[in-house]
Amino acid sequence: MNDLLADIETLVRCESPSEDHDAVARSAEAVATIGRRLLGAEPERIVTDGCTHLRWRFGDGPPRVLLLGHHDTVWPLGSLRTHPFAIEDGVLRGPGCFDMKAGVVMALHAAAALADRTGLAILITGDEEIGSPSSRALIEEEARSCDAVFVLEASADGGALKTRRKGVSRYWIEVEGRAAHAGLEPEKGVNAGIEIAHQILAVAALADADRGTTVVPTALSAGTTTNTVPAAASVAVDARVWDAAEQDRVDRAVRSLRPVLPGSRIRIAGGINRAPLDAVASADLFDLANSLSGGTLTAASVGGASDGNFTAGLGIPTLDGLGAVGGGAHADDEHVVVAQLLPRTALLVSLTKTVLAQGTSSATTNTGGESGAGQR
């Protein structure tokens, strides 16, 4: 346990906001150092668009099990001054500890506990928190041959595994109007602020509470000075859905938006980022994990997405939320329950060992779960 805690502390103290490539590179070296000590192997450093990702592969053939995680966080540099690393009363705290530096360390320690790592791959990316723009192709490439992907994202409430995730789409709507003096001749302008208000109402109306679809206008900007009709405005939109058909509906609707004010123009960027992680992709792996843990696990459906959405979208059996138990991701109270670190790591060892030895279909059959996880 002491080594596990020390390694988590090392990563938490190495701040790694996604947008800061130098910080992410330093964090990657910290992860590489821990992995080299535990695994006796140097990772492959893959730098794409300035962002550093790490990959270990064991054996000569294609990987059959992928342990997937990320070492970037949402926390800006300097967060340790206000949210210092600490362990008190069985609770570990620090920026990024729960999402998901503890999970990265758990993956490395679990791999180290395997007597035979043949067929195992570990991929630790550096841009998950901003949508994985430079790592998506790498993730999908690594997962294609696998019987199972185990995602070391933090657990849901109470330690539940994440067996279903919403799909995510992100859009940016930009409005071009025409500036004019707000007091002397506002009629000569085309108010981009009013136009963006129309667009905000239109996209918000695409939400469907009955289907669990959220379409949320988020970051907003308009205008330059208080006495000028805004010539430009923009809004970001976050859309989350449970199924692919609903994701397509929202996408078509956003792309069909048209200006309301005469003389204004709109541009729409972005689109579908992650397809939903459907429960069918995780069902058999969850059964296997639950059987190995003595039937004590629970499953959760969550609105947040992860890189597991990418692998499930390829038809690869994917089980998410295998990382730390705790709470407060991205928030001031981010924390990890120390007592759960070793049991969760042991579960990951058992899962990985079982699938590497038998494949998912036979593994679920032999441990009491339903077969078929390997069918895709």
Side-chain angles (χ1 to χ4, degrees):
M1 174 66 90
N2 288 339
D3 285 348
L4 190 71
L5 293 176
D7 289 339
I8 295 172
E9 179 176 1
T10 296
L11 293 195
V12 171
R13 290 187 181 278
C14 187
E15 296 177 307
S16 54
S18 309
E19 302 281 8
D20 188 327
H21 288 167
D22 289 338
V24 169
R26 290 192 295 270
S27 174
E29 287 308 305
V31 175
T33 298
I34 293 170
R36 183 169 53 246
R37 186 191 85 238
L38 292 172
L39 304 172
E42 193 74 26
E44 180 182 0
R45 292 164 178 80
I46 303 167
V47 181
T48 307
D49 297 332
C51 186
T52 306
H53 317 294
L54 299 175
R55 177 171 64 191
W56 283 267
R57 283 178 174 172
F58 300 95
D60 296 329
R64 295 181 45 241
V65 172
L66 173 62
L67 305 185
L68 181 59
H70 66 90
H71 65 101
D72 62 312
T73 76
V74 301
W75 294 86
L77 292 180
S79 294
L80 282 166
R81 290 194 294 270
T82 54
H83 298 75
F85 177 87
I87 302 176
E88 296 179 0
D89 299 325
V91 177
L92 183 153
R93 301 184 187 275
C97 63
F98 182 59
D99 185 14
M100 58 160 286
K101 295 198 172 186
V104 170
V105 172
M106 292 165 65
L108 297 175
H109 278 254
L114 295 172
D116 184 0
R117 300 181 198 126
T118 302
L120 177 67
I122 305 170
L123 181 60
I124 309 297
T125 65
D127 63 352
E128 191 274 346
E129 295 290 4
I130 55 173
S132 309
S134 72
S135 62
R136 176 175 181 171
L138 180 64
I139 293 164
E140 292 178 340
E141 170 197 344
E142 204 64 19
R144 287 186 193 279
S145 65
C146 288
D147 293 321
V149 175
F150 297 127
V151 185
L152 273 297
E153 289 282 359
S155 71
D157 291 347
L161 300 186
K162 296 173 179 177
T163 57
R164 189 183 182 207
R165 285 184 179 270
K166 283 186 176 182
V168 177
S169 302
R170 292 172 175 167
Y171 302 95
W172 290 265
I173 302 173
E174 297 179 348
V175 170
E176 179 184 338
R178 184 169 61 247
H181 195 292
L184 294 177
E185 44 190 13
E187 71 281 356
K188 291 186 177 181
V190 177
N191 196 315
I194 294 177
E195 179 62 55
I196 204 70
H198 285 294
Q199 301 301 326
I200 288 171
L201 292 173
V203 296
L206 298 175
D208 187 336
D210 291 339
R211 299 191 67 172
T213 299
T214 59
V215 184
V216 183
T218 55
L220 170 67
S221 66
T224 53
T225 68
T226 58
N227 60 351
T228 303
V229 173
S234 66
V235 65
V237 179
D238 179 291
R240 302 191 181 230
V241 302
W242 285 119
D243 63 84
E246 185 71 345
Q247 193 167 43
D248 289 339
R249 177 190 71 83
V250 172
D251 188 66
R252 289 193 303 271
V254 171
R255 296 186 185 285
S256 68
L257 293 171
R258 296 294 181 265
V260 174
L261 299 184
S264 64
R265 299 179 180 178
I266 66 172
R267 291 183 295 274
I268 298 169
I272 295 172
N273 175 258
R274 289 177 168 93
L277 193 166
D278 194 86
V280 69
S282 59
D284 286 350
L285 288 178
F286 175 80
D287 287 345
L288 172 59
N290 200 31
S291 178
L292 291 170
S293 66
T296 61
L297 296 177
T298 57
S301 299
V302 297
S306 80
D307 287 337
N309 290 62
F310 294 140
T311 62
L314 295 174
I316 312 300
T318 300
L319 186 59
D320 205 336
L322 284 160
V325 176
H330 300 189
D332 289 340
D333 65 337
E334 183 166 3
H335 66 279
V336 169
V337 178
V338 171
Q340 292 296 322
L341 287 168
L342 286 181
R344 297 288 282 208
T345 303
L347 173 61
L348 183 62
V349 173
S350 296
L351 275 168
T352 305
K353 183 178 180 180
T354 301
V355 176
L356 283 176
Q358 302 176 359
T360 47
S361 294
S362 57
T364 50
T365 299
N366 291 344
T367 56
E370 296 180 4
S371 64
Q375 307 300 317
R376 61 179 188 268

